[in-house]
Amino acid sequence: MDNYLFEGGRITKMEVDYAPACDEKIPLAKELAKKNPDSFHEAIEMLLNLEKQTRLGADMVSCSRVLVAVCQICLEAGNWNALNEYVTLLVKRRSQLKQAVSKMIQECCSYVDKTPDKETKLKLIDTLRSVTEGKIYVEIERARLTKILADIKEADGDISGAAAVMEELQVETYGSMDKREKVELILEQMRLCLLKEDLVSTQIIAKKISIKFFDDPAQHDLKLKYYDLMIRLDRDSSYLKTSRHYQAIAEPPRQTPSLEAIEESKKKSVTFKEDDKKKRDKEEEIKQADALPPVELTPEQDKEQKQRLICAVLYSVLAPYDNEQSDMMAKLSKIKKLEEVPIYKEILRLFMSKELINFDTFNHDFGTVLAENDMFQDNTKHGRKCIAELKDRLIEHNIRIIAMYYSRVHLKRMSELLNLPATRCEEYLSKLANSDTIRVKIDRPAEIVYFTTKKSASDVLNNWANDVNQLMSLVNKTCHLINKEECIHSVKSITVEE
């Protein structure tokens, strides 16, 4: 089998073994080019003739050695233009062996950091990217070269160019690439799209990563980077998603499982049937991850964890009220680490309670603490937006509480409770009514606000069924009375005739 070559899914037999010829001519060519620089092309020509023989003889190993040797001679001579020309020439030759091309490209990729200047480096990268375009067997090398090119463009200040280059890569389709390296490249695509403020592309790229990948404790650094990018993406558009992102990284990292534990779980999974094997393996991984103790944090890391938890609380409070937001606040309130920041726990409790929140009292108790937080800085656009949203959430919370306790209330009294003018009260009532948070009607001439409870679909259906039953009962009773009257009338008419 050693004399056979698997080329493009086909088995090609190696006709001649050119290893002895390579052992003789490659060192000779290198020595010739090294001693006499004028004999550079003569040495290359010697190897090109040998390359043709190995290529037509389907000797993949020897052909790879020859191609690598050509690149090495060009490097030692410092002739970068010749390197670019011969790489392009050798790749385009008829019946060129894929494994040999792959070896040559890998060798040339190692030369990128050895280039004397930036112009030469860019030319070499451009050559290698051109010859690897559309070739699956060198997709990893092309991706790494593209990453280097994007870094160069970014360093030059061309963010749009760097993002455009990186977006060309469809990394998620690369089967031969390691999963971690895939995620790193996708995260780089997200980062560059965020820098050029292309939020739509960032959202599309973010969906290429499954968050289950971050369940592995060994990927914690990538998890932090991913959620940091997602926070930057969603913090101005969705406070609820931002809170969820902070909550995902507020948990301390778990220890990486030992090799003994992994082997033990594999032994246990052997006893299950093949159909259930994947499911059982996944369950075992989850159990092991939950059983692993958290990593001991340094004081700085512990401070970062608290800050993330605080941000998760604040963004959940800033999110518009709905069932999902209510569930998230309830979930956050059960986190034990929140007891270490009692002020923010109290803020969360106030928004979960069924009591009115006085704005002046809230500002007196928590205004100073919130002003120190980066989220509520007046000198930033995001900070000013968060301050305005917090005021809106306070007013909307109070309106929902009023709707719970009142079926109707005078508009003037409502303005006193909310500490707002009547016109502003109507604006907030309309806003909440449009979002279907409350059911309200305003009698403007009488200046009375009517609140009605929001009925679920099952309640509406039950009321409809009850009304239909009452209607049918009334129809049956009416028919019965009509029949009774007809019977009585017929009996009376018979009696009169007799």
Side-chain angles (χ1 to χ4, degrees), residues 58-89:
D59 187 353
M60 184 269 292
V61 176
S62 299
C63 187
S64 302
R65 291 177 60 189
V66 174
L67 295 186
V68 170
V70 170
C71 297
Q72 290 173 346
I73 290 174
C74 293
L75 175 68
E76 291 171 1
N79 195 338
W80 297 97
N81 290 329
L83 176 63
N84 293 327
E85 291 174 5
Y86 283 119
V87 166
T88 305
L89 173 69

mmCIF file of all heavy atoms in Angstrom, residues 58-89:
data_model
loop_
_atom_site.group_PDB
_atom_site.id
_atom_site.type_symbol
_atom_site.label_atom_id
_atom_site.label_comp_id
_atom_site.label_asym_id
_atom_site.label_seq_id
_atom_site.Cartn_x
_atom_site.Cartn_y
_atom_site.Cartn_z
ATOM 1 N N ALA A 58 4.153 10.091 -10.153
ATOM 2 C CA ALA A 58 3.212 10.030 -9.022
ATOM 3 C C ALA A 58 3.927 9.708 -7.711
ATOM 4 O O ALA A 58 3.367 9.052 -6.832
ATOM 5 C CB ALA A 58 2.094 9.021 -9.282
ATOM 6 N N ASP A 59 5.193 10.172 -7.596
ATOM 7 C CA ASP A 59 5.934 9.993 -6.338
ATOM 8 C C ASP A 59 5.688 11.230 -5.470
ATOM 9 O O ASP A 59 6.403 12.237 -5.560
ATOM 10 C CB ASP A 59 7.424 9.829 -6.643
ATOM 11 C CG ASP A 59 8.211 9.472 -5.388
ATOM 12 O OD1 ASP A 59 7.612 9.489 -4.293
ATOM 13 O OD2 ASP A 59 9.428 9.204 -5.509
ATOM 14 N N MET A 60 4.654 11.148 -4.618
ATOM 15 C CA MET A 60 4.207 12.301 -3.839
ATOM 16 C C MET A 60 5.268 12.782 -2.860
ATOM 17 O O MET A 60 5.518 13.977 -2.719
ATOM 18 C CB MET A 60 2.917 11.946 -3.097
ATOM 19 C CG MET A 60 2.301 13.104 -2.318
ATOM 20 S SD MET A 60 2.865 13.224 -0.616
ATOM 21 C CE MET A 60 2.133 11.757 0.065
ATOM 22 N N VAL A 61 5.930 11.851 -2.171
ATOM 23 C CA VAL A 61 6.929 12.223 -1.158
ATOM 24 C C VAL A 61 8.106 12.951 -1.803
ATOM 25 O O VAL A 61 8.539 14.010 -1.334
ATOM 26 C CB VAL A 61 7.407 10.975 -0.393
ATOM 27 C CG1 VAL A 61 8.511 11.352 0.587
ATOM 28 C CG2 VAL A 61 6.245 10.324 0.335
ATOM 29 N N SER A 62 8.604 12.403 -2.869
ATOM 30 C CA SER A 62 9.750 13.016 -3.548
ATOM 31 C C SER A 62 9.382 14.353 -4.187
ATOM 32 O O SER A 62 10.154 15.317 -4.142
ATOM 33 C CB SER A 62 10.294 12.068 -4.619
ATOM 34 O OG SER A 62 10.728 10.859 -4.025
ATOM 35 N N CYS A 63 8.179 14.402 -4.769
ATOM 36 C CA CYS A 63 7.720 15.654 -5.372
ATOM 37 C C CYS A 63 7.606 16.755 -4.318
ATOM 38 O O CYS A 63 7.973 17.909 -4.557
ATOM 39 C CB CYS A 63 6.384 15.433 -6.074
ATOM 40 S SG CYS A 63 5.809 16.851 -7.025
ATOM 41 N N SER A 64 7.109 16.395 -3.144
ATOM 42 C CA SER A 64 7.002 17.366 -2.044
ATOM 43 C C SER A 64 8.377 17.877 -1.652
ATOM 44 O O SER A 64 8.571 19.076 -1.429
ATOM 45 C CB SER A 64 6.309 16.724 -0.835
ATOM 46 O OG SER A 64 5.020 16.253 -1.174
ATOM 47 N N ARG A 65 9.331 16.986 -1.564
ATOM 48 C CA ARG A 65 10.702 17.380 -1.199
ATOM 49 C C ARG A 65 11.290 18.362 -2.212
ATOM 50 O O ARG A 65 11.958 19.330 -1.852
ATOM 51 C CB ARG A 65 11.586 16.149 -1.080
ATOM 52 C CG ARG A 65 11.274 15.256 0.106
ATOM 53 C CD ARG A 65 12.154 14.010 0.090
ATOM 54 N NE ARG A 65 13.573 14.371 0.157
ATOM 55 C CZ ARG A 65 14.560 13.500 -0.020
ATOM 56 N NH1 ARG A 65 14.284 12.225 -0.298
ATOM 57 N NH2 ARG A 65 15.820 13.892 0.050
ATOM 58 N N VAL A 66 11.015 18.102 -3.489
ATOM 59 C CA VAL A 66 11.558 18.965 -4.544
ATOM 60 C C VAL A 66 10.929 20.357 -4.468
ATOM 61 O O VAL A 66 11.640 21.381 -4.546
ATOM 62 C CB VAL A 66 11.320 18.335 -5.927
ATOM 63 C CG1 VAL A 66 11.745 19.314 -7.028
ATOM 64 C CG2 VAL A 66 12.084 17.038 -6.067
ATOM 65 N N LEU A 67 9.625 20.420 -4.321
ATOM 66 C CA LEU A 67 8.950 21.722 -4.258
ATOM 67 C C LEU A 67 9.427 22.530 -3.050
ATOM 68 O O LEU A 67 9.643 23.743 -3.144
ATOM 69 C CB LEU A 67 7.431 21.521 -4.183
ATOM 70 C CG LEU A 67 6.757 20.878 -5.406
ATOM 71 C CD1 LEU A 67 5.251 20.880 -5.236
ATOM 72 C CD2 LEU A 67 7.128 21.601 -6.680
ATOM 73 N N VAL A 68 9.552 21.868 -1.920
ATOM 74 C CA VAL A 68 10.043 22.556 -0.717
ATOM 75 C C VAL A 68 11.472 23.040 -0.924
ATOM 76 O O VAL A 68 11.849 24.146 -0.495
ATOM 77 C CB VAL A 68 9.939 21.617 0.514
ATOM 78 C CG1 VAL A 68 10.661 22.228 1.718
ATOM 79 C CG2 VAL A 68 8.479 21.347 0.868
ATOM 80 N N ALA A 69 12.271 22.223 -1.595
ATOM 81 C CA ALA A 69 13.659 22.601 -1.853
ATOM 82 C C ALA A 69 13.750 23.838 -2.742
ATOM 83 O O ALA A 69 14.607 24.712 -2.531
ATOM 84 C CB ALA A 69 14.401 21.434 -2.489
ATOM 85 N N VAL A 70 12.893 23.932 -3.749
ATOM 86 C CA VAL A 70 12.873 25.119 -4.625
ATOM 87 C C VAL A 70 12.602 26.371 -3.785
ATOM 88 O O VAL A 70 13.262 27.405 -3.941
ATOM 89 C CB VAL A 70 11.810 24.945 -5.729
ATOM 90 C CG1 VAL A 70 11.623 26.259 -6.487
ATOM 91 C CG2 VAL A 70 12.210 23.843 -6.689
ATOM 92 N N CYS A 71 11.618 26.286 -2.888
ATOM 93 C CA CYS A 71 11.271 27.430 -2.031
ATOM 94 C C CYS A 71 12.442 27.783 -1.101
ATOM 95 O O CYS A 71 12.736 28.959 -0.875
ATOM 96 C CB CYS A 71 10.024 27.120 -1.208
ATOM 97 S SG CYS A 71 8.541 26.831 -2.199
ATOM 98 N N GLN A 72 13.109 26.776 -0.577
ATOM 99 C CA GLN A 72 14.228 27.024 0.341
ATOM 100 C C GLN A 72 15.389 27.704 -0.366
ATOM 101 O O GLN A 72 16.042 28.592 0.200
ATOM 102 C CB GLN A 72 14.683 25.703 0.967
ATOM 103 C CG GLN A 72 13.680 25.123 1.968
ATOM 104 C CD GLN A 72 14.061 23.744 2.448
ATOM 105 O OE1 GLN A 72 14.934 23.081 1.850
ATOM 106 N NE2 GLN A 72 13.407 23.268 3.511
ATOM 107 N N ILE A 73 15.664 27.300 -1.590
ATOM 108 C CA ILE A 73 16.753 27.928 -2.366
ATOM 109 C C ILE A 73 16.437 29.402 -2.617
ATOM 110 O O ILE A 73 17.305 30.275 -2.490
ATOM 111 C CB ILE A 73 16.975 27.172 -3.684
ATOM 112 C CG1 ILE A 73 17.586 25.793 -3.402
ATOM 113 C CG2 ILE A 73 17.874 27.973 -4.627
ATOM 114 C CD1 ILE A 73 17.711 24.913 -4.629
ATOM 115 N N CYS A 74 15.173 29.698 -2.970
ATOM 116 C CA CYS A 74 14.763 31.095 -3.194
ATOM 117 C C CYS A 74 14.895 31.913 -1.915
ATOM 118 O O CYS A 74 15.307 33.083 -1.944
ATOM 119 C CB CYS A 74 13.326 31.148 -3.703
ATOM 120 S SG CYS A 74 13.096 30.452 -5.356
ATOM 121 N N LEU A 75 14.554 31.295 -0.779
ATOM 122 C CA LEU A 75 14.657 31.998 0.501
ATOM 123 C C LEU A 75 16.107 32.295 0.846
ATOM 124 O O LEU A 75 16.448 33.423 1.251
ATOM 125 C CB LEU A 75 14.016 31.158 1.608
ATOM 126 C CG LEU A 75 14.161 31.709 3.039
ATOM 127 C CD1 LEU A 75 13.357 32.991 3.200
ATOM 128 C CD2 LEU A 75 13.717 30.676 4.067
ATOM 129 N N GLU A 76 16.969 31.296 0.702
ATOM 130 C CA GLU A 76 18.378 31.481 1.035
ATOM 131 C C GLU A 76 19.040 32.504 0.121
ATOM 132 O O GLU A 76 19.944 33.242 0.548
ATOM 133 C CB GLU A 76 19.108 30.142 0.942
ATOM 134 C CG GLU A 76 18.697 29.148 2.025
ATOM 135 C CD GLU A 76 19.271 27.760 1.796
ATOM 136 O OE1 GLU A 76 19.999 27.595 0.789
ATOM 137 O OE2 GLU A 76 19.001 26.850 2.609
ATOM 138 N N ALA A 77 18.578 32.580 -1.114
ATOM 139 C CA ALA A 77 19.129 33.570 -2.054
ATOM 140 C C ALA A 77 18.528 34.951 -1.842
ATOM 141 O O ALA A 77 19.037 35.943 -2.384
ATOM 142 C CB ALA A 77 18.898 33.119 -3.489
ATOM 143 N N GLY A 78 17.427 35.029 -1.053
ATOM 144 C CA GLY A 78 16.757 36.303 -0.812
ATOM 145 C C GLY A 78 16.034 36.823 -2.036
ATOM 146 O O GLY A 78 15.744 38.025 -2.145
ATOM 147 N N ASN A 79 15.740 35.937 -2.983
ATOM 148 C CA ASN A 79 15.073 36.321 -4.227
ATOM 149 C C ASN A 79 13.567 36.093 -4.055
ATOM 150 O O ASN A 79 13.032 35.042 -4.421
ATOM 151 C CB ASN A 79 15.626 35.489 -5.389
ATOM 152 C CG ASN A 79 15.245 36.077 -6.738
ATOM 153 O OD1 ASN A 79 14.271 36.823 -6.832
ATOM 154 N ND2 ASN A 79 16.028 35.741 -7.758
ATOM 155 N N TRP A 80 12.877 37.080 -3.503
ATOM 156 C CA TRP A 80 11.445 36.933 -3.200
ATOM 157 C C TRP A 80 10.587 36.972 -4.456
ATOM 158 O O TRP A 80 9.545 36.308 -4.520
ATOM 159 C CB TRP A 80 11.007 38.029 -2.233
ATOM 160 C CG TRP A 80 11.696 37.933 -0.905
ATOM 161 C CD1 TRP A 80 12.800 38.621 -0.495
ATOM 162 C CD2 TRP A 80 11.352 37.051 0.170
ATOM 163 N NE1 TRP A 80 13.168 38.244 0.770
ATOM 164 C CE2 TRP A 80 12.282 37.275 1.209
ATOM 165 C CE3 TRP A 80 10.360 36.091 0.356
ATOM 166 C CZ2 TRP A 80 12.249 36.587 2.414
ATOM 167 C CZ3 TRP A 80 10.313 35.410 1.564
ATOM 168 C CH2 TRP A 80 11.249 35.654 2.577
ATOM 169 N N ASN A 81 11.032 37.708 -5.461
ATOM 170 C CA ASN A 81 10.274 37.740 -6.721
ATOM 171 C C ASN A 81 10.287 36.366 -7.388
ATOM 172 O O ASN A 81 9.266 35.897 -7.914
ATOM 173 C CB ASN A 81 10.860 38.778 -7.670
ATOM 174 C CG ASN A 81 10.608 40.193 -7.185
ATOM 175 O OD1 ASN A 81 9.590 40.447 -6.534
ATOM 176 N ND2 ASN A 81 11.511 41.111 -7.495
ATOM 177 N N ALA A 82 11.446 35.709 -7.356
ATOM 178 C CA ALA A 82 11.544 34.367 -7.930
ATOM 179 C C ALA A 82 10.682 33.388 -7.148
ATOM 180 O O ALA A 82 10.056 32.492 -7.731
ATOM 181 C CB ALA A 82 13.004 33.907 -7.926
ATOM 182 N N LEU A 83 10.642 33.552 -5.819
ATOM 183 C CA LEU A 83 9.801 32.674 -4.992
ATOM 184 C C LEU A 83 8.338 32.796 -5.411
ATOM 185 O O LEU A 83 7.645 31.770 -5.585
ATOM 186 C CB LEU A 83 9.977 33.045 -3.516
ATOM 187 C CG LEU A 83 9.093 32.271 -2.523
ATOM 188 C CD1 LEU A 83 9.421 30.785 -2.548
ATOM 189 C CD2 LEU A 83 9.268 32.825 -1.108
ATOM 190 N N ASN A 84 7.875 34.023 -5.599
ATOM 191 C CA ASN A 84 6.481 34.221 -6.013
ATOM 192 C C ASN A 84 6.215 33.610 -7.384
ATOM 193 O O ASN A 84 5.175 32.977 -7.616
ATOM 194 C CB ASN A 84 6.143 35.719 -6.036
ATOM 195 C CG ASN A 84 6.155 36.332 -4.651
ATOM 196 O OD1 ASN A 84 5.823 35.675 -3.667
ATOM 197 N ND2 ASN A 84 6.534 37.604 -4.558
ATOM 198 N N GLU A 85 7.172 33.789 -8.296
ATOM 199 C CA GLU A 85 6.984 33.267 -9.660
ATOM 200 C C GLU A 85 6.955 31.738 -9.674
ATOM 201 O O GLU A 85 6.078 31.137 -10.318
ATOM 202 C CB GLU A 85 8.125 33.770 -10.550
ATOM 203 C CG GLU A 85 8.069 35.272 -10.813
ATOM 204 C CD GLU A 85 9.284 35.767 -11.572
ATOM 205 O OE1 GLU A 85 10.114 34.906 -11.971
ATOM 206 O OE2 GLU A 85 9.421 36.993 -11.765
ATOM 207 N N TYR A 86 7.901 31.116 -8.955
ATOM 208 C CA TYR A 86 7.979 29.656 -9.008
ATOM 209 C C TYR A 86 6.821 28.997 -8.253
ATOM 210 O O TYR A 86 6.379 27.917 -8.642
ATOM 211 C CB TYR A 86 9.324 29.193 -8.455
ATOM 212 C CG TYR A 86 10.460 29.397 -9.433
ATOM 213 C CD1 TYR A 86 11.533 30.230 -9.123
ATOM 214 C CD2 TYR A 86 10.448 28.781 -10.685
ATOM 215 C CE1 TYR A 86 12.569 30.433 -10.012
ATOM 216 C CE2 TYR A 86 11.474 28.976 -11.588
ATOM 217 C CZ TYR A 86 12.527 29.802 -11.249
ATOM 218 O OH TYR A 86 13.546 30.002 -12.153
ATOM 219 N N VAL A 87 6.344 29.627 -7.184
ATOM 220 C CA VAL A 87 5.174 29.079 -6.477
ATOM 221 C C VAL A 87 3.966 29.074 -7.408
ATOM 222 O O VAL A 87 3.240 28.075 -7.516
ATOM 223 C CB VAL A 87 4.887 29.894 -5.199
ATOM 224 C CG1 VAL A 87 3.496 29.552 -4.643
ATOM 225 C CG2 VAL A 87 5.930 29.606 -4.131
ATOM 226 N N THR A 88 3.779 30.190 -8.114
ATOM 227 C CA THR A 88 2.646 30.274 -9.056
ATOM 228 C C THR A 88 2.808 29.263 -10.182
ATOM 229 O O THR A 88 1.839 28.604 -10.592
ATOM 230 C CB THR A 88 2.553 31.700 -9.633
ATOM 231 O OG1 THR A 88 2.481 32.641 -8.566
ATOM 232 C CG2 THR A 88 1.320 31.840 -10.519
ATOM 233 N N LEU A 89 4.038 29.114 -10.682
ATOM 234 C CA LEU A 89 4.307 28.191 -11.792
ATOM 235 C C LEU A 89 4.065 26.738 -11.375
ATOM 236 O O LEU A 89 3.399 25.972 -12.091
ATOM 237 C CB LEU A 89 5.746 28.381 -12.265
ATOM 238 C CG LEU A 89 6.258 27.383 -13.308
ATOM 239 C CD1 LEU A 89 5.552 27.599 -14.632
ATOM 240 C CD2 LEU A 89 7.774 27.511 -13.478
#
